[in-house]
Structures are given as structure tokens and as C-alpha cells.
């Protein structure tokens, strides 16, 4: 009986809020008995209304009842009941020495009823073990939040004169923590034994290793050749030197590199292989002469990564190859899992997350962090690493995983970006196409890893688009970013564009250059005749494919140019309905 999937969930959500709002407003002027009667009546009304709403969907009702009974665990119910009762007795009843008091007994009864009701609604007594820890534990967390809020309401507005109510509240918090601990242990006790890499998938809600082949991310089977022909005998190639000297202890790495790059076309005298974080080793090379630069030292340890990559770009000829490596965040996690006992690995990874991912992004702490660490062992997301390479003028041959590192094979296609200050913080701006084809900056809260915007074209080539026009399997989005997008918080700064007059309320979505280039020419010309908008026509007719998005925008624009005001009112009203009542999202 999953209330979140029920089509009447919104009605129930509004109902419960209205009921408690009414109680909150009138409770100050009524005595305790009347307040208690209103609370009981409202709770029963909510419970009965939920049952009636479920029965009204007769084709689902029996199935949901059967599913609930099938997954209901009397063992879990009994353990959780004993845990709650024991904590309330020890932390509350035994402390106040007020046994037999009718108000106390009624208070405890209401709390137990709320606990049971929340347990049924949120599947608290469900014996099923989900494949992911966060999916599994979330239903319990929702129930704890519900139980705590209901308990606070009962204590503050129905039983404000009961002695020791703060001890009771302390007991409820203690129960919630203890119950969470019990179900966490229960999860790890019951999940089937798996290989370490499989356990990562169990634990990480945003893991993408089951969607993307990290051992062969981009390679299409065509070996990259610098000039299309092998070096003659007067200018020996780098291939033998790599195999017999530089990578003699890394045969697996050499095989992967040589299968993707034809080293016989690269002159040994215009090649260099390093294992260093020192920029000086690159600066001493001649400009626009090098055909191959390989650095086997991790980019994670280089203080100024962009400066380093820009210098590499200067030294390479057009089409020259650069091979580098870095440890992505996901491979950091995998490293800890495979090299330490499980729970110790989780603790170490959490500590690593705070030190190397959180601290470097805090404005004041950032300078202290880089002064102490010199940039050593910094955390780099996969999309950030690829984005920095694209930002500094490289295109990709392949990206693959080897020994807990991501190796990138790239070649020089252009000079580095002239953007003087690429975004790295929470609040950032993006170039978009506006009215008359003029570019302007759209303000948003960051939901992707830094530098992700520079691989928009690469992501499109890799994964194309899913329903709604978003990139499929987009690993650039952070966990927090997914939450911000679901709650629409990421788009709040766009109100600044609205105030500045760069956006109107309803209008086509402001697009990046790459996305704009995918549009038909006639639609491009229509788009730039008016300002983009905060609420796009997508939410009016909910197109699923890119062609349907084109048709949706074309239909809106043609209607808008005939009747601007009426069209925007019609589109805004329908969009509001789809967003609020149909839970429409663009991804």
C-alpha cells in the first residue's frame, strides 16, 4: 500500500495539512479535553478517508492489501514495539513516578497509535530487503520524521501540562535512533554476499557503474593515428621504448594504450614520458613541437590543474596526444572498500570526503586547505576531470579504468578556453542564447560537478537524450543536485534574470550553444524573435522526444506571435496544473 504511488496522494497530503492547520489555529482558545477530542476526530477522519480513497481504486485495493500482508513481518513489528515500549518506560514512566494518571495513559496510547499508523503507511514493518541501502532505509527515516512531528504536536498542544514531556520527547528521539540502528544492522545481515564492486552498487544511490562501462567509455574501435602513416627508419617511433622501458612493469596499461593509439606514427624525439607533478618539467619542453606527452602521476596531486593542462596544450602540435590519469571519486570509494575492512572503509571514506571534497570548496577554509596540502590528493569527480581537459582544448580518444585510476587519452584540437573564471562554486552562471541571438548569463545553483558544462557535447555523443530532452545516464549530476532539481531549488536564481528583463515568465527554454545547434534552422529563427522564459512550453504538453520538443516549442511560438497575452495565460495555467497535480518534471 504505497501512498506515494496513489493518484489521490496529493488530496490526502493537502487534507492532513488543512486538518492540523485548523487544530493549530483553534487550539489556543479551547480547553484540553476539547482539543483532545478534535485531535482524535481529525486523526480518525484522516484514517477513514485514506481507506475510502484506496477502496475507490478497486482494481488496486485487493492487490495492495495482499502485498502489504505478504511483506508484513510480525517479528519486526514485535521487536520495534518492545524497543519503543522499553525506552518509554525507562526514560519517561520510571522517571516521573506518576503511574495510573489517566492523562499519562491516554498520552502513551496516542503515541503508540501514531507509531502504528505511521508504520503501516510508511511500510515500517516490511520484511523486504531492497537492493540499495538508501532506498531501504528511507521508508524508516520518513516514519521517524512523521512520528517525531506528531509526538511534538501532541505534547505541545494537547498535553502541555503533563510533567516530564521533554523526557518523553528524548525517549522518542532515542527510540528513532535505536530503531534506525536495528534496521541498518538487519540490512547488512540479510543482503546476499557479493563481490566488493557489487557491494558498492548496494550502497550508493547515485552510482553509475551499472550504466557506464568505465573500462571502455569512449573507444569505438578505431585506433587514433597522428599523421596516418608510420614513422620511417630515420625517425624511430616511440612504441618500442614505451613497451620495453617506460611501461615495462605496466603491460596491461601498455596494451590498452597501444590498442587505442598507433604509437608507430609518433616520433620518439618529439615524445616525453613523465611521472611528476612539477610544472617545470612541462615548461622546459619546446612549444608546438611535441607529438606525445604522457604523465603517469595523478592529476589529483597537481596544485593548479588548469595551468598544468594549458601548458601541456602549448607544447603539443595540433593533433598531438596527451595521456594522463586521475582517481575519480567513485574509484576512491572503490579503493577504500577493497583495501580496508568494510565499516572502517566507510569511516575512512567519510573522513576523506570531508577533508578533500568539502573543505576545498569553503571560501575561507579553501586557502588554508591548499596552503597545508599543496593540492595533494584532492578529490576529482569523473565529470570534473573530463571537463577540465575539454576546457583546456583537448578532445577524447578514450577514457578507461586501470588500477583504481581513470586514464584519459586526449589530443589537442584547439587553444584553451578563454573563460577567465570557470565556475567552481554553488552559485554559478551559464552562457545561453537569448533574444536576437545575443548571449547572456543564466544564474543557477550548481547541480553538477564543476566543469561539467564543458563536456555537454561529449555527453550528447555518448548517451543521446532521454524523455524530456535530458541527457541519458548523466553522471555529471551530484547527489545533492538531484535533490535540488526535484525541489526546483536550482532554478530559483533565475528570478534574477527575470528581474533584469532577460527572461519572461512563460517562454522557450534558454539554451546553450550546443543544444541550440541541434535545432532546425526555422525553429532557431523563431526562438530568437522573443525572450526565453522561466516556464517553458514543455510543461504544457509534456513532450517525450527531441522532435516532440521541437514541435511543442514551434506551436507555442506561432501561437504567441498571434496572441501573446492569451497564449502565455493558457500555457502558464496548464503548466501549473501539470506541475502541481501531475508532478511533471523535466529531469
Amino acid at each position: 500500500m504505497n501512498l506515494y504511488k496513489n493518484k489521490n496522494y496529493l488530496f490526502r497530503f493537502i487534507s492532513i495539512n488543512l486538518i492540523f492547520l485548523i487544530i493549530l489555529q483553534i487550539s489556543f482558545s479551547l480547553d484540553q479535553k476539547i482539543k483532545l477530542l478534535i485531535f482524535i476526530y481529525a486523526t480518525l477522519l484522516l484514517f477513514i478517508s485514506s481507506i475510502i480513497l484506496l477502496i475507490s481504486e478497486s482494481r488496486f485495493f485487493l492487490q495492495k492489501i495482499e502485498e502489504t500482508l505478504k511483506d508484513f513481518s510480525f517479528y519486526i513489528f514485535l521487536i520495534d514495539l518492545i524497543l519503543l515500549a522499553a525506552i518509554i518506560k525507562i526514560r519517561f514512566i520510571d522517571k516521573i513516578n506518576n503511574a495510573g494518571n489517566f492523562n499519562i495513559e491516554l498520552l502513551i496510547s496516542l503515541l503508540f497509535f501514531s507509531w502504528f499508523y505511521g508504520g503501516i503507511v510508511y511500510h515500517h514493518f516490511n520484511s523486504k530487503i531492497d537492493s540499495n541501502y538508501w532506498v531501504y532505509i528511507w521508508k524508516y527515516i520518513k516514519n521517524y520524521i512523521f512520528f517525531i512531528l506528531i509526538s511534538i504536536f501532541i505534547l505541545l498542544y494537547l498535553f502541555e501540562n503533563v510533567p516530564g514531556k521533554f523526557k518523553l520527547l528524548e525517549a522518542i528521539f532515542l527510540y528513532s535512533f535505536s530503531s534506525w540502528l536495528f534496521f541498518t544492522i538487519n540490512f547488512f545481515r540479510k543482503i546476499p554476499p557479493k563481490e566488493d564492486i557489487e557491494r558498492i552498487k548496494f550502497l550508493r544511490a547515485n552510482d553509475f557503474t551499472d550504466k557506464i562501462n568505465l573500462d571502455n567509455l569512449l573507444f569505438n574501435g578505431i585506433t587514433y593515428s597522428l599523421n596516418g602513416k608510420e614513422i620511417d627508419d630515420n625517425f624511430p617511433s616511440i612504441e618500442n621504448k614505451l613497451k620495453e622501458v617506460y611501461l615495462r612493469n605496466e603491460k596491461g596499461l601498455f596494451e590498452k594504450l597501444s590498442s587505442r593509439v598507433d604509437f608507430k606514427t609518433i616520433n620518439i624525439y618529439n615524445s616525453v614520458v613523465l611521472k611528476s607533478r612539477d610544472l617545470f618539467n612541462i615548461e622546459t619542453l619546446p612549444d608546438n613541437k611535441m607529438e606525445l606527452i604522457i604523465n603517469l602521476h595523478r592529476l589529483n596531486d597537481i596544485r593548479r590543474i588548469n595551468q598544468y593542462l594549458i601548458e601541456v596544450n602549448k607544447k603539443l602540435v595540433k593533433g598531438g596526444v596527451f595521456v594522463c590519469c586521475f582517481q575519480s571519486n567513485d574509484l576512491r570509494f572503490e579503493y577504500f572498500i577493497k583495501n580496508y575492512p568494510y565499516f572502517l572503509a566507510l569511516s575512512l571514506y567519510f573522513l576523506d570526503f570531508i577533508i578533500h571534497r568539502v573543505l576545498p570548496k569553503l571560501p575561507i577554509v579553501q586557502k588554508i586547505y591548499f596552503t597545508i596540502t599543496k593540492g595533494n590528493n584532492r578529490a576529482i569527480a569523473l565529470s570534473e576531470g573530463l571537463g577540465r581537459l575539454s576546457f583546456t582544448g583537448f578532445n577524447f580518444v578514450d577514457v578507461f579504468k586501470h588500477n583504481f585510476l581513470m586514464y584519459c587519452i586526449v589530443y589537442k584540437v584547439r587553444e584553451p578556453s578563454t573563460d577567465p573564471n570557470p565556475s567552481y562554486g554553488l552559485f554559478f552562471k551559464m552562457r545561453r542564447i537569448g533574444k536576437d541571438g545575443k548571449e547572456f548569463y543564466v544564474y543557477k545553483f550548481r547541480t553538477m560537478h564543476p566543469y561539467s558544462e564543458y563536456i555537454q557535447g561529449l555527453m550528447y555523443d555518448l548517451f543521446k537524450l532521454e524523455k524530456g530532452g535530458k541527457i541519458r545516464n548523466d553522471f555529471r549530476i551530484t547527489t545533492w543536485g538531484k535533490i535540488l532539481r526535484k525541489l526546483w531549488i536550482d532554478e530559483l536564481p533565475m528570478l534574477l534574470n527575470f528581474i533584469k528583463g532577460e527572461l519572461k515568465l512563460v517562454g522557450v527554454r534558454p539554451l546553450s550553444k550546443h543544444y541550440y545547434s541541434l535545432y532546425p534552422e526555422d525553429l532557431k529563427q523563431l526562438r530568437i524573435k522573443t525572450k526565453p522564459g522561466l516556464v517553458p512550453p514543455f510543461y504544457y504538453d509534456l513532450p517525450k522526444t527531441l522532435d516532440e520538443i521541437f514541435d511543442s516549442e514551434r506551436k507555442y511560438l506561432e501561437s504567441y506571435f498571434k496572441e501573446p497575452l492569451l497564449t502565455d495565460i493558457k500555457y502558464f495555467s496548464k503548466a501549473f496544473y501539470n506541475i502541481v497535480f501531475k508532478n511533471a518534471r523535466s529531469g
Side-chain angles (χ1 to χ4, degrees):
M1 185 166 53
N2 189 340
L3 299 181
Y4 284 97
K5 293 181 181 178
N6 190 285
K7 69 180 182 182
N8 292 307
Y9 167 74
L10 182 64
F11 174 77
R12 289 199 303 279
F13 180 80
I14 294 173
S15 298
I16 189 172
N17 280 279
L18 287 176
I19 289 169
F20 281 110
L21 181 61
I22 293 169
I23 295 172
L24 188 64
Q25 293 297 319
I26 68 175
S27 61
F28 292 104
S29 59
L30 300 176
D31 63 32
Q32 184 176 342
K33 290 184 179 179
I34 296 178
K35 284 191 284 185
L36 185 60
L37 287 173
I38 291 174
F39 175 77
I40 294 173
Y41 171 77
T43 305
L44 289 175
L45 180 64
L46 177 66
F47 182 75
I48 293 169
S49 299
S50 299
I51 296 299
I52 292 173
L53 286 169
L54 283 173
I55 294 175
S56 68
E57 295 184 10
S58 55
R59 60 198 179 103
F60 297 116
F61 182 65
L62 292 177
Q63 180 184 349
K64 290 178 179 178
I65 290 291
E66 183 181 350
E67 289 175 358
T68 301
L69 292 176
K70 182 180 70 173
D71 293 330
F72 182 86
S73 170
F74 182 76
Y75 163 76
I76 290 176
F77 169 79
L78 186 61
I79 291 292
D80 213 52
L81 176 62
I82 292 172
L83 182 63
L84 177 62
I87 291 176
I88 288 180
K89 183 178 187 307
I90 295 170
R91 301 300 302 171
F92 175 64
I93 295 176
D94 291 350
K95 299 287 185 181
I96 63 173
N97 296 319
N98 206 0
N101 186 313
F102 174 75
N103 284 338
I104 297 295
E105 292 176 354
L106 184 58
L107 169 61
I108 299 299
S109 299
L110 283 174
L111 290 177
F112 272 93
F113 175 78
S114 301
W115 165 81
F116 179 73
Y117 179 73
I120 293 296
V121 169
Y122 293 108
H123 308 274
H124 192 93
F125 313 121
N126 194 328
S127 60
K128 185 179 178 181
I129 300 293
D130 294 275
S131 62
N132 181 281
Y133 171 73
W134 301 108
V135 174
Y136 165 81
I137 206 65
W138 179 235
K139 59 180 177 285
Y140 298 108
I141 294 175
K142 287 187 291 188
N143 189 37
Y144 301 142
I145 294 172
F146 168 80
F147 185 40
I148 289 170
L149 292 177
I150 289 293
S151 301
I152 291 173
F153 176 81
I154 291 172
L155 288 171
L156 293 182
Y157 294 101
L158 301 180
F159 293 90
E160 63 264 35
N161 296 323
V162 168
K165 58 185 178 182
F166 289 107
K167 290 188 177 295
L168 180 56
L169 199 57
E170 175 193 321
I172 291 168
F173 275 99
L174 182 60
Y175 152 75
S176 299
F177 175 77
S178 303
S179 178
W180 165 79
L181 192 61
F182 165 75
F183 285 109
T184 296
I185 294 172
N186 186 56
F187 173 83
F188 288 108
R189 186 173 62 87
K190 288 190 175 182
I191 58 173
K194 299 229 176 227
E195 296 296 325
D196 289 337
I197 189 63
E198 292 298 318
R199 293 180 71 89
I200 295 175
K201 296 177 187 178
F202 267 90
L203 291 169
R204 306 202 65 190
N206 65 325
D207 185 53
F208 56 82
T209 52
D210 56 339
K211 301 175 184 175
I212 301 171
N213 181 8
L214 292 180
D215 292 317
N216 185 17
L217 185 60
L218 302 171
F219 188 51
N220 58 7
I222 301 176
T223 304
Y224 179 80
S225 175
L226 179 59
N227 298 310
K229 58 182 180 180
E230 295 184 7
I231 300 296
D232 58 37
D233 295 336
N234 295 325
F235 300 96
S237 73
I238 187 67
E239 183 178 45
N240 291 334
K241 198 76 169 180
L242 282 174
K243 183 178 181 179
E244 297 172 5
V245 181
Y246 300 129
L247 299 177
R248 64 179 181 276
N249 296 322
E250 290 279 1
K251 291 184 179 179
L253 177 59
F254 173 77
E255 290 173 0
K256 287 183 177 181
L257 293 177
S258 60
S259 68
R260 290 154 173 81
V261 178
D262 187 359
F263 291 118
K264 293 178 181 178
T265 64
I266 296 177
N267 190 330
I268 191 172
Y269 299 120
N270 295 330
S271 304
V272 63
V273 179
L274 306 168
K275 193 171 185 179
S276 169
R277 56 181 289 185
D278 196 342
L279 181 61
F280 177 78
N281 292 321
I282 299 296
E283 290 175 329
T284 56
L285 300 174
D287 289 353
N288 299 311
K289 293 291 185 183
M290 306 306 297
E291 297 179 3
L292 172 68
I293 298 176
I294 297 178
N295 190 354
L296 301 175
H297 196 93
R298 306 184 313 166
L299 292 178
N300 306 71
D301 299 326
I302 295 175
R303 171 63 181 93
R304 303 188 187 281
I305 298 176
N306 285 358
Q307 183 181 347
Y308 187 90
L309 296 178
I310 289 171
E311 198 64 32
V312 171
N313 182 293
K314 286 169 56 179
K315 306 305 176 182
L316 289 170
V317 298
K318 193 73 172 288
V321 178
F322 176 49
V323 178
C324 61
C325 62
F326 65 93
Q327 188 176 52
S328 66
N329 294 337
D330 288 86
L331 294 185
R332 278 171 101 93
F333 184 80
E334 184 179 331
Y335 173 82
F336 281 111
I337 289 294
K338 287 195 173 184
N339 287 277
Y340 296 96
Y342 184 69
F343 286 103
L344 176 59
L346 290 182
S347 301
L348 291 174
Y349 180 74
F350 177 75
L351 185 63
D352 180 85
F353 175 87
I354 297 297
I355 295 174
H356 296 296
R357 292 179 66 181
V358 176
L359 296 184
K361 292 179 174 60
L362 299 178
I364 299 176
V365 180
Q366 184 183 60
K367 292 183 179 180
I368 301 174
Y369 171 83
F370 283 112
T371 300
I372 295 174
T373 66
K374 307 299 182 185
N376 187 53
N377 198 30
R378 69 198 299 179
I380 302 177
L382 174 61
S383 54
E384 180 185 344
L386 302 185
R388 286 180 182 271
L389 286 164
S390 180
F391 173 77
T392 50
F394 295 100
N395 203 355
F396 297 88
V397 175
D398 195 18
V399 177
F400 60 86
K401 182 176 70 172
H402 180 76
N403 288 344
F404 300 110
L405 293 174
M406 294 303 301
Y407 280 83
C408 301
I409 307 174
V410 296
Y411 59 95
K412 178 179 175 179
V413 290
R414 56 174 172 79
E415 298 302 314
S417 172
T418 56
D419 189 346
N421 187 27
S423 172
Y424 201 77
L426 176 64
F427 183 78
F428 78 114
K429 55 186 181 180
M430 304 178 295
R431 288 180 185 271
R432 291 293 182 261
I433 305 295
K435 187 178 179 181
D436 299 324
K438 295 178 181 178
E439 291 189 6
F440 71 105
Y441 284 106
V442 167
Y443 303 103
K444 295 188 76 173
F445 286 124
R446 176 171 288 284
T447 58
M448 293 184 177
H449 293 289
Y451 290 89
S452 293
E453 57 268 34
Y454 296 103
I455 54 170
Q456 177 77 14
L458 174 66
M459 294 298 295
Y460 176 78
D461 292 339
L462 276 174
F463 305 118
K464 305 304 178 185
L465 300 179
E466 60 182 1
K467 291 181 180 180
K470 297 292 183 179
I471 298 290
R472 184 182 291 110
N473 294 342
D474 199 340
F475 57 79
R476 299 174 300 167
I477 304 173
T478 64
T479 304
W480 285 111
K482 292 176 183 177
I483 297 172
L484 292 179
R485 288 188 175 196
K486 288 289 184 183
L487 299 176
W488 298 65
I489 296 173
D490 65 308
E491 297 188 353
L492 286 179
M494 290 176 67
L495 292 173
L496 294 174
N497 295 108
F498 180 72
I499 294 170
K500 291 171 65 176
E502 296 166 332
L503 295 177
K504 58 193 186 78
L505 182 61
V506 179
V508 292
R509 194 192 305 270
L511 298 179
S512 65
K513 275 187 176 180
H514 173 265
Y515 214 128
Y516 184 73
S517 69
L518 302 177
Y519 275 57
E521 195 60 37
D522 67 310
L523 186 52
K524 287 181 183 178
Q525 297 306 314
L526 280 176
R527 282 180 125 267
I528 61 176
K529 288 182 180 180
T530 183
K531 296 176 186 177
L534 289 172
V535 181
F538 171 90
Y539 295 106
Y540 177 82
D541 43 18
L542 304 177
K544 295 180 179 179
T545 66
L546 188 59
D547 287 336
E548 289 179 5
I549 291 174
F550 294 159
D551 293 337
S552 170
E553 292 189 357
R554 187 179 285 108
K555 185 167 62 175
Y556 162 77
L557 290 168
E558 289 172 352
S559 176
Y560 174 79
F561 292 134
K562 293 177 183 178
E563 296 179 315
L565 182 60
L566 289 178
T567 298
D568 280 358
I569 291 174
K570 181 178 73 172
Y571 270 76
F572 181 80
S573 302
K574 184 67 178 295
F576 180 82
Y577 174 81
N578 286 336
I579 291 168
V580 174
F581 294 98
K582 289 190 175 182
N583 198 32
R585 293 291 185 271
S586 65

